[in-house]
């Protein structure tokens, strides 16, 4: 989708992709190699104006290697923070962005200490390489002894790798704020914020995003989220698109995690915003002016997971736009998404009902 | 642009393109051969569900050959009519669609007769293969003898090929109606009309299109144009997108010509309409439901001819969207276009002024 957004702007692309059957091949040369293949990396950076990534599990060493040879945006530092749930939570906390209680777990003693400090219910997650609910262990127990035992058992089941124990957050909704920060113009870097997005997950995978967030009719949460994201971007001297996920609680927003890249909860921007997150990411990292980010009416994005729908059924839904990624069908795989746009949030209800009747999940 | 519109729908493409450096290569296999190369044509149609064209000078014999081997939409008959200015004008006239006085010129005697019948001022055009003002001769003379002499001279200068002499139409504006007609559903073929588009030409080449047409604030011309285009599509059992250009005169619309394809005056629909003309053409020819065609606010498309602008200057204009076609720079060549979208027509004025200050033409 980055490639498709860049073609009309006259950009040329080269992609490094370790997996076979890279859908990006439509938009430029693909180097089908591993992240640690120095020959492949050298071919990747040859003559590049700027490099970027849309997957935060790119190894830090690869990002550093690239950053030494060409402009890399977002920076290797932003990537490193996003790759480590402890560093991420500390970065939030140090900037005054609310986070739930958390503690590191990398020894048996830390497991006991974390369980006692954080308490139950809580979630044990690997510090690295988790996504879409993988590498997680939910602990429903309460009471010191039960929590200690459950955390220890959970940590063993996750292979005794470095983990984070996070207090469970009793949330009423999940939202994300997506923003783009450009390169320096005069005294400051311009920032463009998209409307606050409300997200619904199924089995740990994003099912649906709606913008503007129905849980925030007065825009107060959006305002708070903008402040948090602006501080985060400025502290990292960030360039590009970022997504920060928050829980909505009775006490306000609690930051969950950041993605230093275009984000699934922003896919609706292709059809529903004046400038897509993909185009704004390219504009930002190439030093171009950012484009406007307002939503046209209301917009809902629904992921196609595991099963592709019947195209004609989808296109028969008023305002539905289909985006297939050209990937092979596989259980749990994101195969595409569908955007529904309407004049206002209430007008989304009927087409969403029709859509849900056409979809399978999984 | 058809290819880019089809990728997210999961369509696969194969292109036949006689010229080198085909920009469509991003969206599928290109067969770089001539229209009369039967081996190339055989490779083109192998396994195709449907074939289409986006250039009306595809030879009629090629279209017929393809239509005998796979579904071709729009039909070879629609293409043949659009290729012959006399057949086109007769088709309009037979359907009650207003046309200016015209006459065929293919002999010296016909030149004299046409000059006397049509009178001056008038325009002599080749019946075939003209576009963007090429193959035309404007006759400003009035008075029988002067017109006869000028038409005869003009016909000789055009190489004495089959021509049409058309009365000059004193128009106040030029508009186009773009519509898509799908495949049969129950008893009728569905038709979707885009808003009426107002066009400005420079040196015979489209410079700018604005939708909805500012010259039609009450929508009366749009209504008349819809009626004309519907009759035309139904008479041809048309499937796909069509564009019909009209002159606006004190007496109402006068049809100028039809294009049996996606049309330059509809390029704004990528950014400014709920469904682009490219996607609706693909939906129509593949038997899918058509998408909604309303304009979001107001939209202006400006062609980039001969010279590419500075990307950063264009992207700094509020609401500007850049579309480069990946073609080499050449005088008079359409290299891309820029769309400006705004809440209403009045809000287009300032960004259009800014845009005009960034552009060169030619």
């Amino acid at each position: 989708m980055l490639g498709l957004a860049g073609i009309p702007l006259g950009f040329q692309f080269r992609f490094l992709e370790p997996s076979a059957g890279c859908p990006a091949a439509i938009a430029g040369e693909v180097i089908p190699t591993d992240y640690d293949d120095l020959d492949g990396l050298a071919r990747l950076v040859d003559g590049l104006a700027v490099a970027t990534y849309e997957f935060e599990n790119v190894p830090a060493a690869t990002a550093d290697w690239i950053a030494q040879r060409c402009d890399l945006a977002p920076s290797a530092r932003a990537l490193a923070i996003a790759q480590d749930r402890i560093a991420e939570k500390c970065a939030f906390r140090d900037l005054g962005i609310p986070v739930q209680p958390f503690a590191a777990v990398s020894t048996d003693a830390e497991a006991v200490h974390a369980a006692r400090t954080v308490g139950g219910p809580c979630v044990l997650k690997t510090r690295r390489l988790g996504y879409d609910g993988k590498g997680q262990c939910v602990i429903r127990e309460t009471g010191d002894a039960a929590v200690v035992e459950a955390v220890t058992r959970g940590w063993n089941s996750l292979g005794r790798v470095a983990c984070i124990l996070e207090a469970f957050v009793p949330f009423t909704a999940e939202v994300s704020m997506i923003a783009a920060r450009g390169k320096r113009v005069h005294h400051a870097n311009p920032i463009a914020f998209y409307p606050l997005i409300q997200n619904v997950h199924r089995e740990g995978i994003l099912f649906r995003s709606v913008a503007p967030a129905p849980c925030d009719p007065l825009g107060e949460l959006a305002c708070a989220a903008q402040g948090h994201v602006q501080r985060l971007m400025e502290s990292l001297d960030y360039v590009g698109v970022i997504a920060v996920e928050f829980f909505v609680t009775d006490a306000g927003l609690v930051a969950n995690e950041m993605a230093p890249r275009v984000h699934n909860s922003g896919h609706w921007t292709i059809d529903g915003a004046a400038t897509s997150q993909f185009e704004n990411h390219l504009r930002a990292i190439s030093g171009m002016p950012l484009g406007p980010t307002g939503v046209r009416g209301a917009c809902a994005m629904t992921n196609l997971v595991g099963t592709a729908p019947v195209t004609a059924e989808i296109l028969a839904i008023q305002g539905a736009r289909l985006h297939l990624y050209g990937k092979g069908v596989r259980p749990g795989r994101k195969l595409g998404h569908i955007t529904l746009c309407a004049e206002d949030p209430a007008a989304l209800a009927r087409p969403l009902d029709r859509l849900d009747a056409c979809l399978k999940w999984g």
Side-chain angles (χ1 to χ4, degrees), chain A residues 97-99 175 196 220-226 228 246-249 251-255:
Chain A
I97 301 171
V99 291
V175 296
L196 193 69
E220 293 159 323
L221 297 175
C223 200
Q226 284 189 12
H228 297 329
F246 298 93
F247 298 115
V248 179
T249 74
L253 296 177
V254 172

Side-chain angles (χ1 to χ4, degrees), chain A residues 131-132 134 202-203 205 304-308 327-336 360-362:
Chain A
Y131 67 97
D132 283 353
K134 291 168 191 162
R202 280 193 186 168
E203 296 154 41
I205 302 176
L304 300 173
V305 175
T307 317
K327 293 178 176 177
V329 170
R330 197 167 69 196
R333 193 176 209 190
K334 290 177 184 168
L335 302 175
K360 281 185 199 159
W361 175 270

Side-chain angles (χ1 to χ4, degrees), chain A residues 142-163:
Chain A
T142 54
D144 251 26
V147 175
V148 165
E149 202 237 305
V151 169
T152 304
R153 198 173 53 234
W155 187 53
N156 285 323
S157 77
L158 289 176
R160 299 172 67 88
V161 296
C163 281

Side-chain angles (χ1 to χ4, degrees), chain A residues 77 81 85-100 102 227-228 231-232 235-236 255:
Chain A
R77 185 169 155 238
I81 290 172
R85 291 184 193 277
I86 297 280
E88 185 177 58
K89 285 282 195 291
C90 290
F92 291 157
R93 193 180 53 191
D94 294 349
L95 291 164
I97 301 171
V99 291
Q100 75 263 58
F102 66 91
H228 297 329
R231 284 202 303 287
L232 181 63
S235 77
L236 295 170

Side-chain angles (χ1 to χ4, degrees), chain A residues 3 15 17 20 56 91-92 103 158 161 170 183 199 203 210 262 265 284 291 300 327 331 338 344 355:
Chain A
F15 303 93
E17 169 60 66
E56 67 257 46
F92 291 157
L158 289 176
V161 296
K183 293 200 170 168
N199 301 311
E203 296 154 41
V210 180
V262 291
S265 71
K327 293 178 176 177
I338 290 163
D344 54 63
L355 175 60

Side-chain angles (χ1 to χ4, degrees), chain A residues 178-228:
Chain A
I178 295 183
R181 188 165 179 265
K183 293 200 170 168
R184 190 167 294 271
V185 178
H186 310 303
H187 296 296
N189 298 51
I191 301 185
F193 295 99
Y194 286 93
L196 193 69
I197 303 154
Q198 187 165 342
N199 301 311
V200 178
H201 291 82
R202 280 193 186 168
E203 296 154 41
I205 302 176
L206 182 65
F207 165 59
R208 177 163 289 160
S209 296
V210 180
C215 66
D216 185 34
L218 302 179
E220 293 159 323
L221 297 175
C223 200
Q226 284 189 12
H228 297 329

